[in-house]
Amino acid sequence: PTSRSPQAALRRERASSVFRPRAAMPASSQTQLRSCVLRCGRSGFAVDYWGRNPCVGAVFLTHAHADHLCGLSEAWEPDGRTVYCSSVTKALLLRKFPGLATRRDVRIETLAPNASVVLRLPDRSSASTRTPKRQTTVAETLLPNDSVNDIGEGHENDELLTVTALDAGHCPGSVAFLFEGKCGRVFHTGDWRREDWCGKASTPFGYDTLTNQPRRPLNDEKRRASSTASTATLPRCLTRAPLDLVLLDNTYGDPSYVFPTRHEAASRVCGLIKQTLEKNENADVYVGVDSLGKEPLLAAIARAIGEPVRVTPERFHASIAALEAAKEGLDEVKRGDDDADNEESDGDPFLGAAPRGSLTCASTSSCRVFALPKQRVTREKLAAVAAHTGREIVGILPTGWAVANATATEAPNAFARAVASFRGEKNKNAAKTLSASAKARDDFTFAKSGAFVSETTDGLPLVHAVPYSLHASYDELEALVRALRPRAVFGNTRAPRNSSSGAPTLDVAAHFKDLCFGGDETSDV
């Protein structure tokens, strides 16, 4: 039974007011992130937040997707803040903003995965007192703070913060952060999906990145038996002491979002592509992907068809930069201090970078599989491509929105609405045909959350939507929270403003309230 001490009640009360969002930052992304600023004694830090806040002494960047860079530009004023991220993310960031590399006032430091490091946060107490009306930060904090009055100047008043970066399994360079200090123990997932943490797969992406060979997926009996995470499948740093707060990737934080592992979804995508290419020599396949991410899927496609997938020159050169940065980061870890406080090896050592030979931008390539920005893989745009090239076009959209039950008007963002618009009675029949072989292998994977296709009666190109997701599904989020049993959990994404009864809530604080620990030190995690 959970203890209900006065201290636990105080922490729960503070946790319940952790997020009092300020005015939303402009974003071009599908979803909108909360502004994440955490107090840490006389200082503070931010995660994926580039606005001005007097208490912030450092910014931690989870990955280089555009919605996590809102507010950052080559003219960004650091105001003494150091940026921390993975080596891959730093390489991608400087490709996007090369002017930052030449500025002396901008410091971007890299953190190796699975290694706990102690960082010094500058004393911000003087800056905080100059603010006429201090705004509530993300963690106010969960633990009582020392008074910041009458603190002297100098580095002796800086705060120490222990940080551990962990492979988030989302896209090249993505990491989650465990923070330990006067902020308490706070785990920020960033954008996150680790099926292996949840007992649904044996590796983060379903294949061995060192050998570029597919790993055998867990059999049905083992996968179902281990569908709930346990402390044995999680990094030791997350379970060695109770967590005060988990800031969770709630992109699919609603029970309606349940989909298969990426290995299973990738197998379906590869099967569709091979079937298309073998049956029709005049057909090309266009796969809609993000500007960054799904590299393991593209690598799986390349293995299946025996040649590199065609991508844009920008994406190709970015993938090379990511792989080189990952190798350099891995070499630095190998050369590191043997006495460092390193965690056990966890995750992909290359942080999701595409293996060499998986992609090409060569104009001489004869490959009939193209990876394009997902916004360009619509039936109307593919029809224009078909008219221009004189070839038949088949589209594939690997996305978690493929399993959403919401209608087009209830979907939380424009891309989800576009995917939802494919649905129809004939699509359901097509989905049954598509999933026949998959259903024989795994009744759950595609029978309940399977691929569907767009209508073809109007002559527009066929589009397959397959539930390959870079974000954790609801059951994976639930398994993680159940295993961690934090004192509080909040979502990183703002809930959709659409109040329709069919819209997903994404309110993981409400969904997982009963899975959180009461705050007493007798936690058994």
Side-chain angles (χ1 to χ4, degrees):
T2 301
S3 174
R4 302 294 182 183
S5 66
Q7 293 84 357
L10 176 62
R11 286 170 178 163
R12 285 193 302 275
E13 180 180 353
R14 286 177 173 171
S16 66
S17 61
V18 160
F19 281 117
R20 296 189 184 276
R22 296 177 290 280
M25 295 177 61
S28 58
S29 59
Q30 300 171 16
T31 54
Q32 187 157 61
L33 299 177
R34 300 182 189 271
S35 300
C36 182
V37 178
L38 296 99
R39 172 73 66 174
C40 187
R42 292 178 291 267
S43 189
F45 57 93
V47 181
D48 298 342
Y49 175 72
W50 307 97
R52 289 185 175 275
N53 189 299
C55 84
V56 173
V59 179
F60 294 87
L61 175 59
T62 59
H63 63 290
H65 273 157
D67 55 328
H68 294 253
L69 300 176
C70 291
L72 180 63
S73 69
E74 293 186 340
W76 179 67
E77 295 296 335
D79 190 26
R81 293 169 288 181
T82 300
V83 178
Y84 295 95
C85 59
S86 70
S87 58
V88 173
T89 296
K90 179 179 179 179
L92 296 172
L93 185 68
L94 295 181
R95 280 184 60 85
K96 187 177 182 67
F97 303 113
L100 294 179
T102 59
R103 288 180 51 183
R104 292 187 175 182
D105 60 334
V106 175
R107 293 182 57 200
I108 304 177
E109 303 291 343
T110 60
L111 299 177
N114 309 313
S116 297
V117 297
V118 179
L119 305 177
R120 186 179 295 274
L121 300 179
D123 179 9
R124 295 290 197 178
S125 56
S126 298
S128 297
T129 57
R130 289 198 302 266
T131 305
K133 182 179 180 181
R134 186 173 57 80
Q135 298 167 320
T136 304
T137 58
V138 169
E140 186 49 28
T141 61
L142 302 176
L143 302 179
N145 286 325
D146 295 334
S147 173
V148 298
N149 295 326
D150 301 323
I151 298 296
E153 299 291 333
H155 292 291
E156 66 274 9
N157 294 323
D158 290 353
E159 296 290 353
L160 299 182
L161 179 69
T162 301
V163 183
T164 307
L166 297 166
D167 179 11
H170 175 68
C171 71
S174 64
V175 291
F177 293 109
L178 171 65
F179 302 106
E180 299 172 281
K182 288 190 176 179
C183 58
R185 277 173 49 86
V186 178
F187 179 49
H188 193 298
T189 68
D191 286 354
W192 174 87
R193 193 180 189 194
R194 289 292 302 270
E195 295 102 316
D196 54 332
W197 284 11
C198 303
K200 292 175 66 175
S202 57
T203 62
F205 297 110
Y207 74 94
D208 191 329
T209 54
L210 294 177
T211 63
N212 196 21
Q213 295 297 317
R215 287 281 186 92
R216 184 183 301 276
L218 298 178
N219 59 47
D220 288 352
E221 181 179 356
K222 183 176 180 182
R223 185 170 61 78
R224 289 184 178 126
S226 60
S227 60
T228 299
S230 67
T231 56
T233 63
L234 298 173
R236 186 174 65 251
C237 62
L238 295 179
T239 60
R240 64 189 173 204
L243 292 170
D244 296 295
L245 175 65
V246 170
L247 301 173
L248 192 65
D249 176 7
N250 61 325
T251 302
Y252 294 114
D254 183 87
S256 64
Y257 298 126
V258 178
F259 30 79
T261 66
R262 279 174 285 192
H263 181 278
E264 294 163 330
S267 297
R268 189 64 195 139
V269 170
C270 293
L272 290 170
I273 291 175
K274 291 185 67 177
Q275 183 182 32
T276 299
L277 299 182
E278 290 171 359
K279 288 188 174 183
N280 189 344
E281 294 182 355
N282 193 45
D284 293 333
V285 178
Y286 285 68
V287 182
V289 293
D290 303 274
S291 60
L292 175 68
K294 297 188 172 75
E295 277 72 12
L297 172 62
L298 299 181
I301 294 172
R303 287 195 303 270
I305 64 176
E307 57 182 326
V309 175
R310 297 175 71 170
V311 297
T312 64
E314 169 57 29
R315 177 153 193 151
F316 175 77
H317 294 298
S319 71
I320 297 298
L323 183 60
E324 292 302 320
K327 289 181 177 179
E328 291 177 6
L330 194 58
D331 290 341
E332 289 179 5
V333 172
K334 292 179 180 178
R335 295 193 301 267
D337 185 357
D338 293 336
D339 296 329
D341 185 12
N342 292 331
E343 294 292 329
E344 71 277 17
S345 177
D346 173 80
D348 177 4
F350 292 153
L351 289 178
R356 191 175 294 276
S358 301
L359 310 176
T360 183
C361 65
S363 58
T364 56
S365 172
S366 61
C367 183
R368 295 154 57 197
V369 180
F370 301 78
L372 297 177
K374 60 189 179 185
Q375 293 82 1
R376 294 169 59 182
V377 182
T378 67
R379 303 184 64 225
E380 292 75 15
K381 292 181 179 180
L382 294 183
V385 174
H388 178 71
T389 62
R391 298 180 61 82
E392 295 184 26
I393 305 296
V394 174
I396 295 180
L397 278 176
T399 172
W401 301 117
V403 305
N405 294 322
T407 66
T409 57
E410 296 168 344
N413 59 67
F415 182 68
R417 288 192 290 273
V419 176
S421 68
F422 292 155
R423 291 184 177 83
E425 193 61 37
K426 293 182 180 179
N427 295 343
K428 295 179 182 178
N429 295 331
K432 293 178 182 178
T433 303
L434 267 176
S435 62
S437 59
K439 187 176 186 300
R441 183 189 75 244
D442 184 345
D443 184 66
F444 171 80
T445 300
F446 286 96
K448 293 184 180 179
S449 51
F452 58 82
V453 300
S454 59
E455 302 279 0
T456 59
T457 55
D458 54 8
L460 294 177
L462 184 73
V463 175
H464 302 273
V466 180
Y468 183 105
S469 176
L470 297 178
H471 298 268
S473 61
Y474 180 84
D475 59 320
E476 293 162 6
L477 298 176
E478 182 180 35
L480 178 67
V481 176
R482 187 182 298 277
L484 293 177
R485 291 189 65 206
R487 293 188 170 109
V489 58
F490 285 91
N492 294 329
T493 299
R494 298 176 186 274
R497 295 181 180 179
N498 190 335
S499 59
S500 171
S501 59
T505 63
L506 306 185
D507 188 359
V508 291
H511 288 317
F512 302 143
K513 179 176 63 175
D514 293 339
L515 302 180
C516 292
F517 187 68
D520 189 81
E521 281 68 25
T522 59
S523 170
D524 59 2
V525 293

